[in-house]
Amino acid sequence: MTYQAIIVGAGFGGMGAAIQLKRLGITDFTMLEREDDLGGTWHVNRYPGLAVDIASVTYSYSFEPNPWWKHWYARGAELKKYAEHVADKYDLRRHMRFDTVVEGARWDEDAQEWEVRVAGGERLRSAYLITATGFLSQPRLPDIEGVGDFAGTVLHTAKWDDGADLDGKRVAVIGTGATAVQLIPELARRAEHLTVFQRTPIWVTPKLDFRMPRAVRALFARAPVTQRIARTANTALLEAIMVAGVLHYRQAKIFNKGAALVAKRHLRKQIADPELRRRLTPDYSFGCKRPTFSNDYYRAFTRDNVALETTSIERITPSGIVTTDGRETTVDALVLATGFDMWDANFPAIEILGRDGKDLGKWWRSTRFQAYQGIAVPGFPNLLSLASPYSYSGLSYFTTIEAQMKHLDRLLTEVRRRGATTFEVKDPANEEFLGWVTERLDDSVFHLGSCATARSYYFNQHGEAALLRPSSTLHNHRAAVTFPLDDYAYA
Ligand code: NAP
């Protein structure tokens, strides 16, 4: 049997694509999901303190507003519920197959369709392949000697064991990224003692969070336009931060410097000890690495039961962590807040072989990471790769998802109008787009700021900031509905 489309991934990206397919009248598709339930990031991540740090009026589908968010920034469990609600409302569950690990996909030139290989040997076929595997979906274990030898509890934040009891325990956290910033205050309250191993400090600004007043929720429900206004205002603010502070660093450095000052003042307000402040202060430009928002992260380090360790880790032993100065910190539990492998294990998350056996992962690595409009690649007919280089625009993932839904809509409508069965982006269009993003990045903090010490996952192994699309989200959404249809070849 050949499906019209196979979607790999049942997170918000995959569900957005599925909703768009249904709007186009395409219902003959399946969604293959590695995990045992839907929701992607919000199913997998269950660590204490998990919340979104983009306000929920913005971090949700614009066409499916939820007036009932309990907080301005929804907690993880609420986002998972929202994902379930979307799946039910748009009748997506019956398309989903869980515990289905896709290993690879191959373009079958003779049949003009994709053959998708599932772990266990099953083969599925489809006309279109849409990979929605996310950016932060391959947890990274630190390459520290002895990490496998630790005898106590080991938890990666993206593989949290709900039964793990850290109350009253001696706990070590490795990592100080956005995840750790949420987790550390929680662990500080629970653990007998917490040692935080920091390699690179992170910029943290205040998080203007609050419980949504009942009256506001009722207003959002009764008059949806009010929530749309809140969304527009909040999205515009995020956009200003991103466009002025990060992408147009050359022209608007002052915004970037201003954000760094806000973060430094936040640190000063929460931590009196100048030496501790110094150790928590980044030495790279704001925005080189994803900044974070928290009201209780810095304060956690002022507790008697919390220690910040900045000496490099030498190795992990069965009982704890040895630093390069020979000291051992003995702990009962080790929490790895060490993030995700974006540039080796992801991009693409599965093996994808296109026309003439062209291997997408190898091609990206041997040339440059690239994708036309962050979604299509020459040599890969009928493939839409949602988690592609230069695809992420804005701060909320939903702005990217919805732009990609529009691109999919315009493209597949054209395929149908022409009575075609295949589409493939043309080389010159792809090259032009790559040239355009490359040029625009010249103005960004990634090129002009001081990013060398940031160790940011925005940069790939070639030193290119190839994740973010260097344009406003407005520009992205406009491009999604106006890109030249002749940028694709149809057959
Ligand atoms: P991350 O930002 O990649 O941070 C990983 C941390 O682990 C870094 O501090 C890193 O240090 C450290 N680390 C990794 N390997 C290490 C090693 N061998 N030795 C010592 N330290 C090591 O990962 P994350 O915190 O999970 O966040 C990933 C992304 O998830 C965020 O940037 C954000 O986009 C997303 N996120 C979003 C939210 C939200 O609310 N929207 C919340 C949490 C996460 P170095 O910096 O020195 O490499």
Side-chain angles (χ1 to χ4, degrees):
M1 147 163 195
T2 298
Y3 292 98
Q4 207 162 351
I6 290 177
I7 299 174
V8 184
F12 282 126
M15 291 205 292
I19 290 168
Q20 195 60 52
L21 287 181
K22 292 185 88 164
R23 285 176 180 165
L24 286 163
I26 299 175
T27 53
D28 175 24
F29 65 88
T30 185
M31 303 174 74
L32 308 178
E33 170 58 54
R34 172 183 76 176
E35 306 295 334
D36 61 1
D37 201 357
L38 60 89
T41 286
W42 303 103
H43 172 58
V44 169
N45 284 278
R46 288 190 301 272
Y47 58 82
L50 174 69
V52 68
D53 58 15
I54 303 293
S56 301
V57 287
T58 294
Y59 193 88
S60 46
Y61 296 108
S62 61
F63 55 85
E64 191 52 45
N66 171 17
W68 304 113
W69 298 116
K70 293 200 186 83
H71 295 85
W72 186 241
Y73 296 93
R75 308 307 190 241
E78 215 181 346
L79 278 155
K80 162 80 170 146
K81 274 218 171 71
Y82 174 71
E84 288 168 359
H85 159 78
V86 171
D88 289 332
K89 175 158 176 187
Y90 293 85
D91 192 20
L92 302 180
R93 276 187 202 265
R94 66 194 174 85
H95 296 276
M96 294 178 181
R97 276 182 55 180
F98 301 119
D99 296 312
T100 305
V101 177
V102 174
E103 290 179 336
R106 181 184 69 87
W107 174 249
D108 180 339
E109 191 66 43
D110 297 330
Q112 296 283 288
E113 58 193 30
W114 284 94
E115 182 190 72
V116 173
R117 203 173 70 241
V118 175
E122 191 183 0
R123 300 275 199 278
L124 299 172
R125 302 181 79 84
S126 64
Y128 304 130
L129 176 64
I130 302 173
T131 51
T133 45
F135 300 96
L136 304 164
S137 48
Q138 319 294 334
R140 179 174 53 196
L141 294 179
D143 50 353
I144 300 172
E145 183 193 327
V147 67
D149 299 340
F150 184 68
T153 307
V154 182
L155 296 162
H156 188 284
T157 53
K159 289 181 184 278
W160 201 260
D161 173 359
D162 299 329
D165 180 14
L166 302 180
D167 292 8
K169 302 270 167 47
R170 295 164 302 173
V171 180
V173 173
I174 300 180
T176 50
T179 298
V181 165
Q182 296 187 333
L183 177 68
I184 284 166
E186 288 292 322
L187 292 183
R189 281 189 275 273
R190 297 178 188 196
E192 178 206 299
H193 192 272
L194 176 69
T195 310
V196 176
F197 288 83
Q198 170 190 276
R199 187 163 66 181
T200 310
I202 187 154
W203 288 107
V204 184
T205 63
K207 187 171 186 178
L208 306 173
D209 197 9
F210 52 87
R211 227 177 198 295
M212 293 292 281
R214 194 180 305 212
V216 173
R217 302 191 321 156
L219 179 67
F220 282 175
R222 241 191 357 261
V225 67
T226 55
Q227 193 173 14
R228 277 204 296 279
I229 292 169
R231 182 184 179 103
T232 305
N234 183 63
T235 308
L237 175 71
L238 297 176
E239 191 67 0
I241 295 172
M242 189 67 182
V243 173
V246 175
L247 301 180
H248 286 290
Y249 183 81
R250 185 190 301 278
Q251 297 85 354
K253 209 175 291 167
I254 189 162
F255 288 102
N256 186 290
K257 302 282 180 210
L261 283 177
V262 169
K264 279 188 179 162
R265 208 180 58 190
H266 185 44
L267 174 61
R268 246 193 341 268
K269 274 177 86 173
Q270 296 208 348
I271 295 198
D273 175 1
E275 174 55 17
L276 183 54
R277 273 206 309 263
R278 187 191 61 74
R279 293 161 72 212
L280 286 166
T281 304
D283 64 353
Y284 53 88
S285 304
F286 189 93
C288 291
K289 187 173 197 158
R290 188 186 184 282
T292 58
F293 315 91
S294 171
N295 299 329
D296 46 9
Y297 174 68
Y298 286 140
R299 197 173 287 130
F301 292 99
T302 64
R303 294 174 64 111
D304 290 341
N305 68 330
V306 177
L308 175 68
E309 181 56 74
T310 51
T311 311
S312 300
I313 297 173
E314 186 180 277
R315 64 180 196 282
I316 293 173
T317 67
S319 55
I321 299 181
V322 178
T323 40
T324 48
D325 54 8
R327 281 179 298 122
E328 175 164 9
T329 304
T330 307
V331 290
D332 307 305
L334 187 56
V335 175
L336 306 175
T338 45
F340 302 86
D341 186 341
M342 178 123 54
W343 296 106
D344 287 319
N346 228 0
F347 285 138
I350 57 170
E351 182 184 66
I352 300 182
L353 303 177
R355 217 185 271 291
D356 303 321
K358 181 174 176 180
D359 182 321
L360 181 58
K362 286 188 179 149
W363 184 67
W364 272 343
R365 283 160 185 78
S366 63
T367 57
R368 285 179 62 191
F369 285 89
Q370 54 195 291
Y372 170 73
Q373 297 290 343
I375 196 167
V377 187
F380 296 85
N382 289 9
L383 169 71
L384 292 173
S385 166
L386 306 191
S388 278
Y390 303 111
S391 61
Y392 202 111
S393 78
L395 281 171
S396 165
Y397 188 23
F398 283 88
T399 50
T400 304
I401 293 171
E402 292 195 25
Q404 294 190 319
M405 289 170 72
K406 289 177 183 169
H407 191 105
L408 187 154
D409 182 29
R410 179 169 165 81
L411 176 61
L412 294 194
T413 301
E414 181 64 4
V415 170
R416 181 180 290 167
R417 193 188 68 77
R418 293 182 186 227
T421 52
T422 65
F423 63 83
E424 182 180 344
V425 71
K426 294 174 182 168
D427 268 317
N430 176 61
E431 277 158 26
E432 193 183 322
F433 183 77
L434 183 60
W436 178 76
V437 290
T438 306
E439 199 183 307
R440 286 184 71 99
L441 277 167
D442 278 349
D443 286 347
S444 72
V445 71
F446 307 124
H447 279 207
L448 299 173
S450 161
C451 291
T453 54
R455 285 181 179 270
S456 167
Y457 68 76
Y458 288 166
F459 293 84
N460 64 21
Q461 50 275 69
H462 309 306
E464 296 169 320
L467 173 65
L468 302 179
R469 177 189 172 108
S471 79
S472 67
T473 56
L474 275 182
H475 183 280
N476 187 14
H477 278 247
R478 214 170 33 244
V481 294
T482 59
F483 66 85
L485 290 164
D486 284 339
D487 280 355
Y488 284 91
Y490 306 85

